[in-house]
């Protein structure tokens, strides 16, 4: 690939991991990346918004908490054996503008912000929430920048294809239904994995299935009965562009207490990381990590897991870039 | 006053304070008050809404936390020497309906709920927030039920007379400006006490003063320099109807960490309780206690203080009723 | 089954899950269930007592914490596919009377309270603790209402068949020995699963085995070596009446830190939920969920798990009712 | 006084304050005090019991938490200017035996343990709770060892002279009524200071006054209106033996959140320490510090305050010893 | 003063206070301040070091926590009535380099970093700790940049003039003795206020007094007996350059639990802010705020207070600049 | 083995598990063990030092927290069926001296302390950290007492064979490299298991492999692909002396949040306990349990796990002693 851009990390002899203004994984602020390292491969940005929640708010503080927790992320992947900062140029683009009193206003503003980030043909977008409603903004910006509706790899305890809650069509229960309606994604090439917990209505499943989404419950995954379907989905993806959306509540509350609508009986961190790594090398066109609620995370382990997942997601693409 | 209604408390020999479904101060649910004890003098209700905040959300869980903490409230006032349940009939009217995605929608719904509670000529309303925006709903309902615009006694670190934030006129920074505009209160007979902390603009003070509000900073109170003004306000009130609005953030964060926009350097609990008691016997026509954020209250002392303040506010009126 | 009773849940458009006085799973208070929905199939009640503990107290606050956490429980089961509120009429019967200074006094009072709940032939009892001593009260009330000594399905890290601690025969280490002695249960048809952790005496195991209890340690379960025994027990149960007692400490402290005598190295939530579901369709005659200690549960995940387990236990019976 | 005994503290160059098995204020275990430093002037011991509480349990873990927090207590008093370890020989006598299921059983066992500690004519007893019921045990042991019924200096938000709760005469609401009945103290020479908060019955005050106890509310103290009465009590004490009982809930919950029955609106730490020091030089015959509940003390400041109060109480006597 | 530089704050309509990469008080990063706003009047920087503590470590995370908490600091001072960003240009210079395993190494590196910040004749330094040892580095850098040894205004519960601890001369107990020895400050023009709590040795006071430091205990301040001495010190300062060092532990643990060596019985926040404001208009040549320990600050109120104190300290100088 | 020594535990009827001065597992202090029970088989001691950490400090409080948590450890092993106090004499030797400002100084002092404990031919050493640097001290003391360099069984998320950090060769990243260089251990007979998480450099693995260490990542263990290598290592050990070092961060942060450098995606407690038990009967010559950080352990489950692991490690040797 010729002269690869590389991310310049702060010298740990000068500024230990507990020092300095905290950016995602200690990557430089996008404005501070010099010409030699542009365009960046991945721009990470926060969307500090929680106006779309249906239960506990506070995910607006997620981006800051994940920036802090990500200081302990190091550059070399333990399994893939790759040094991400030698493969990619990555940057923290700051936070998108939000309108705390308006979900749709925020989504439009965040979409416009992200769509306008430089180098759309090269720089891909990783959004850090905020509640899951913000995934729509990142999918919309990605769609504007790239042209085709990608497939979706979706980790979640919930379907997030509900039409409306309290009469409102924009919120954290609806991003994928809206995205499908708006042609931002191809729900016929979408896998949702990690579903579990009590539901308001069994009909909710019909909506998701009607869109063509492949549904895998946690129980199916844990029993191994979904392995074949997951493999088939991986095959179907091939080299097709795919968007990855990771709701931290797909993980069990023991591992991720800091989230707004926790459901007991989910993935361990090791399980979900292992599942994620099965998708190493996919053609990743954008991603998000959402629903971290610091106020419910007394030991900070949820933000830490989210920070590690950001790294794991970037590593999926590093495997491809390195191939 | 003839046969006074009395609140029937659960028998503590059967159901200790840590037992049973938690209602405000263990008062009965309004629906469960029998005819002999109707109409009630005070109906307490929650407004679990925090869509009007400008910083940390979560006050939607305030009513529940205050119900729990209020289980340790007993009926006899230590200074006034009155047994409130022998003077008043009081009840928990449950929570008002809310529209979590719409501040104005919630305020209208909560106003309608409260306005429609039975016995408007006798039963007064004490709303438990929720963020301070909900005070508008309780003031509006009170105005509908009583007819005249009352004076206001307002405890707060902030003015809450800001015109708009992020372009939105309904929120926790604006309830008293909106109430004044709507004729719900008489700002010319209003005292705001406890002001302190950095401000966005010095002009904010001009708005409040322009409405005729008497402003007392915490520093003025602490130095004693505002004593005369406070006494004058008390005299000016005389027997006029007055609405009391208590934002828990008027108290220092050491005493009330669980709030969304805390400001260091405020009242101790003892100080503010003492100040409150100076208003014993005023003609209280309605009240609210707002801005308790349980997720930032690790030892539960903020909710406990709010519960005690509910009791102290009711006691102000008990002194009058007993006179 | 003719006209089924149905539980009427609050309209979530009026009262979101964070609103209203908290009852178990938002089911109505028993007193408020109208004739059309009576008799109820299941009455849930709390026993706020922790005077039987041998280490950390505080489970007296368990019922309240579980009521709060259960607000996020929805009616449709994700695996069985059943809508519980369409199958059952369920209600919150409040808390039993307790005598905080007397274990036996409390147990007798709670038994009498539960035994006297209406419709003994139809309404079954689910008690929420409180420490494990309170299981005796619920087993005793169930025995009075139903007539035959049921088998027992017992999830626990501990045996709970100790004769006495500190000279006292009533406490959380002894409920099943007392219940066996009193003929409330048939220990010859009892399975205890989840045992682990250091013991005071190896002879404790002999007592339990001497009663005829089938013992399965966590290690045996995890290795699969107990699968056959568990299946045999399930077969042996057949359609026989069975009482289910769930001590939250059978789960690992990562998932249930909020308990008084935690033991590391236990079930994950997913594992124990999976195991529980193997008993779908048993003839459930009563149940309890005990040992939740909110003061040791900083992120609230223990109470959340307990709330989900209440739902899972009811679902076991819903499968039978729906068959 | 001839050759004074001196407490030998661990060498801080060898064992920093965060090192070693924690004893009260790092004083030696009583068994480890060598002959040259015997008899000790003060024996500190814990009574890890909370079976007498009426609300939140957990004070059984108070002695351990206070031992830990007291590691930062140093020997020189900042105001009196005395080095306590040069004036006194002090030791940690461990914990009294308790019977967790029986309040009276515990009190008798603790009394017997304390009464039997060596050198009754010289060694005075400072008990660390545990709930306030344990004060009776320490007063009873002190009475046995010294002969005369002392006066009492009592810091508390509550009266603690209630006859019975839930039909039980032994508990944390009753120690001073029982002690008066048993002739352990002279209630006619007793001051209770810090009273505040709502009460179950105004008649409770009559019981205390009927015993001859001087009652000072927090409000009276804060307004200065009780200064004369406090001075008079101090004069009345003269050189008479006095027992000091310190319930941490006399302090405001901001300073002492970790207690079972907190009441907002109390002393600051500085205020209560200042008040305590007014009693420097009294003839102290015994003392207790009670009601620390570590599970409600997330930042550990309550245990820290209790540890400092232990030191301040000993310093009152050091002033006398040094006079 | 001609065209004043002004700090450009982020537009709160675009980036609410909970959004964006957190810098001190939302001031720009020094590198990002454009020429028109240079030189800055105040450069704020962190020193994330806690290798000098004698008890609880963790203050290395202080700068980050204070950056986060300072997002709620607004520009207008409530008492002085000044808008700081209209008076000053201020910037966040990031964190100094540290050597976590070496106190002296860190101090030298931090001094060199701070000394080398641009515009020494105009830009003054406010260091945010970190433990109190780092004050030496900021005093040394200030001395290099300004030329004369300033007086010192020192808020603390401790003297911090101990010669050595565990044989080490550099640490948080010694900064002012070292600074005096090194001629960085004039101890003959130094006030230490807030002293309290038990001491290792009464001789420690002699060392401080021997240097000529004016010592005011909290008790002296609270009783008013030190008012005259404080006024005299203020007069003595006149327009002389003064360095301000603020150890958060001068405040009571109720207000500042998050610190390493807390001492009960200190200032309330309101008290210390009031005392600080008495020094408005002094000729401030440098400052620090130290000893914030986020791991012991469960509700975040200590970091919030520290953030407000940073603002109050800058305001002291704004009064002078505006005069 | 003739007359076995036995550990005398406190009578739980006198002193419940929440009572008394806390020692490891309630074993007696070494100085208090009488002649009949000497020499002890195992001496447990703390090393309260965290000056070797590279991220979050605070493990200096680990020994105290583990002492407290270990009070709930009972003597009989649930799987091996052995009563440890009937097989071994065990004691708490207190804490080693530390030099908080010097890592090497502390290590030398701790080594000397441990080496000098009585009965080197019989009494083996179990050190409780503190950060992982202290393992060097225990390995060095063990080497002095026993003569031969043992093999090592090492549980960790990290390699801990880094040459230097920030120019310092002594710290928690380096103990096994230093131990190998110093001939304290035989790295050619060493297994490190639990490795995972991002790394600074892939070359770090080469250093460890170059020493001959067998490396097993968590992923390899979880997939079963390392089973053969683990069995081979176990066979290779045979009866050879082996040292066991347990870094609590090998466990997932859900189970062990209280540690300084947590890495998501690790062992569950059940998994690691199961793996540990595979080594029952090895010839254990010394051990440590390190990196418990109480300030990040809000529910105390990390210290509890560490306490159970201390028991499990001793049980490995009990199996051998009992063989």
């Amino acid at each position: 690939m010729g002269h690869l851009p590389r991310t310049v990390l702060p010298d740990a002899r000068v500024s230990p991991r507990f020092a300095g203004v905290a950016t995602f994984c200690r990557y430089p602020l996008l404005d501070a990346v010099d010409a030699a390292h542009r365009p960046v491969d991945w721009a990470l940005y926060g969307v500090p918004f929680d106006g779309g929640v249906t239960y506990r708010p506070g995910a607006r503080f997620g981006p800051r908490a994940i920036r802090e927790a990500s200081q302990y992320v190091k550059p070399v992947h333990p399994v893939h054996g790759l040094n991400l900062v030698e493969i990619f140029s990555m940057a923290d683009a700051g936070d998108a503008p939000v309108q705390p009193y308006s979900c749709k206003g925020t989504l439009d503003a965040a979409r416009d912000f992200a769509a306008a980030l430089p180098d759309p043909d090269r720089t891909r977008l990783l959004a850090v929430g905020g509640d899951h409603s913000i995934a729509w903004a990142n999918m919309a910006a990605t769609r504007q920048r790239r042209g085709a509706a990608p497939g979706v790899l979706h980790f979640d305890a919930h379907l997030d294809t509900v039409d409306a809650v309290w009469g409102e069509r924009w919120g954290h229960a609806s991003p994928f239904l809206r995205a499908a309606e708006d042609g931002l994604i191809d729900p016929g090439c979408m896998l949702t994995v990690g579903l579990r917990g009590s539901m308001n209505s069994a009909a909710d499943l019909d909506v998701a299935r009607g869109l063509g989404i492949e549904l895998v419950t946690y129980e199916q995954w844990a029993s191994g009965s979904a392995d074949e379907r997951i493999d088939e989905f991986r095959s179907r993806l091939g080299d097709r562009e795919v968007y990855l959306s990771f709701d931290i509540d797909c993980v069990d509350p023991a591992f991720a207490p800091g989230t707004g609508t926790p459901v007991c009986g989910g993935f361990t961190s090791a399980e979900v990381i292992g599942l994620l790594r099965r998708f190493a090398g996919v053609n990743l066109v954008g991603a998000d990590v959402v629903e971290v609620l610091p106020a419910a995370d007394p030991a900070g382990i949820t933000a830490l897991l989210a920070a590690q997942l950001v790294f794991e997601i970037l590593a999926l693409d590093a495997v491809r870039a390195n191939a």
Side-chain angles (χ1 to χ4, degrees), chain A:
Chain A
M1 297 170 79
H3 292 291
L4 277 171
R6 294 175 54 160
T7 302
V8 180
L9 290 182
D11 183 346
R13 297 280 165 90
V14 174
S15 184
R17 296 181 180 285
F18 45 81
V21 171
T23 58
F24 288 123
C25 304
R26 316 188 88 210
Y27 301 153
L29 289 172
L30 184 56
D31 292 346
V33 175
D34 63 31
H37 300 103
R38 287 175 181 264
V40 300
D41 295 276
W42 283 92
L44 291 72
Y45 70 102
V47 190
F49 178 76
D50 55 22
V53 303
T54 53
Y55 200 52
R56 300 195 296 187
R60 65 180 69 181
F61 290 96
R64 281 209 184 134
I66 295 171
R67 279 191 179 95
E68 290 256 350
S70 72
Q71 303 302 296
Y72 193 63
V73 172
K74 297 166 183 171
V76 178
H77 193 276
V79 168
H80 306 317
L82 302 172
N83 187 331
L84 264 68
V85 300
E86 293 180 351
I87 292 174
F88 286 145
S89 182
M90 297 170 285
D92 182 331
D95 280 359
V98 295
Q99 298 181 14
Y101 293 150
S102 166
C103 189
K104 189 51 167 54
T106 292
L107 299 186
D108 288 346
R111 176 200 57 203
D112 293 348
F113 166 88
L117 287 173
D119 305 302
D121 52 337
R122 173 68 171 273
T123 303
R124 276 152 301 156
L125 307 172
L126 192 157
V128 175
D131 72 51
H132 216 150
S133 70
I134 68 103
W136 184 91
N138 199 45
M139 291 187 286
T142 296
R143 181 78 165 81
Q144 279 188 226
R145 293 163 69 97
R146 308 293 290 200
V152 179
L153 183 50
H154 174 213
F155 293 80
D156 208 323
H158 307 87
L159 290 162
D160 287 6
T161 52
V162 174
D163 186 43
V165 174
W166 300 313
E168 173 59 57
R169 297 174 69 250
W170 299 95
H172 79 158
S174 315
F176 297 105
L177 182 54
R178 289 296 95 77
E181 292 168 350
D182 298 343
L184 308 182
I185 56 169
D186 175 3
C189 182
M190 174 168 173
L191 172 70
T192 296
V193 61
L195 295 167
R196 68 183 182 280
S198 58
M199 294 180 292
N200 282 310
S201 162
D204 289 351
L205 291 165
D206 300 335
V207 174
R209 287 192 187 114
L211 290 168
I213 302 173
E214 187 78 40
L215 304 181
V216 173
T217 66
Y218 174 75
E219 289 79 11
Q220 290 168 336
W221 176 86
S223 70
S225 70
D227 277 358
E228 205 171 325
R229 283 197 289 146
I230 293 173
D231 286 343
E232 279 172 6
F233 179 78
R234 178 70 185 85
S235 299
R236 193 157 27 122
L237 275 184
D239 200 48
R240 180 171 180 176
E241 288 188 335
V242 65
Y243 182 91
L244 193 157
S245 186
F246 199 104
D247 186 324
I248 203 76
D249 71 20
C250 74
V251 181
D252 191 275
F255 299 80
T259 196
T261 48
V263 183
C264 298
F267 289 111
T268 69
S269 293
E271 287 172 348
V272 88
I273 290 172
L275 176 54
L276 194 61
R277 287 175 183 164
R278 286 169 67 176
F279 292 90
V282 293
N283 186 359
L284 207 60
V285 75
D288 61 66
V289 176
V290 296
E291 295 286 354
V292 171
L293 197 175
D297 194 26
I301 61 174
T302 313
L304 182 70
L305 176 58
Q308 288 192 212
L309 288 166
V310 164
F311 174 77
E312 289 286 343
I313 290 169
L314 295 174
L316 299 181
D317 191 40
V319 169
R320 178 184 167 89
N322 197 55

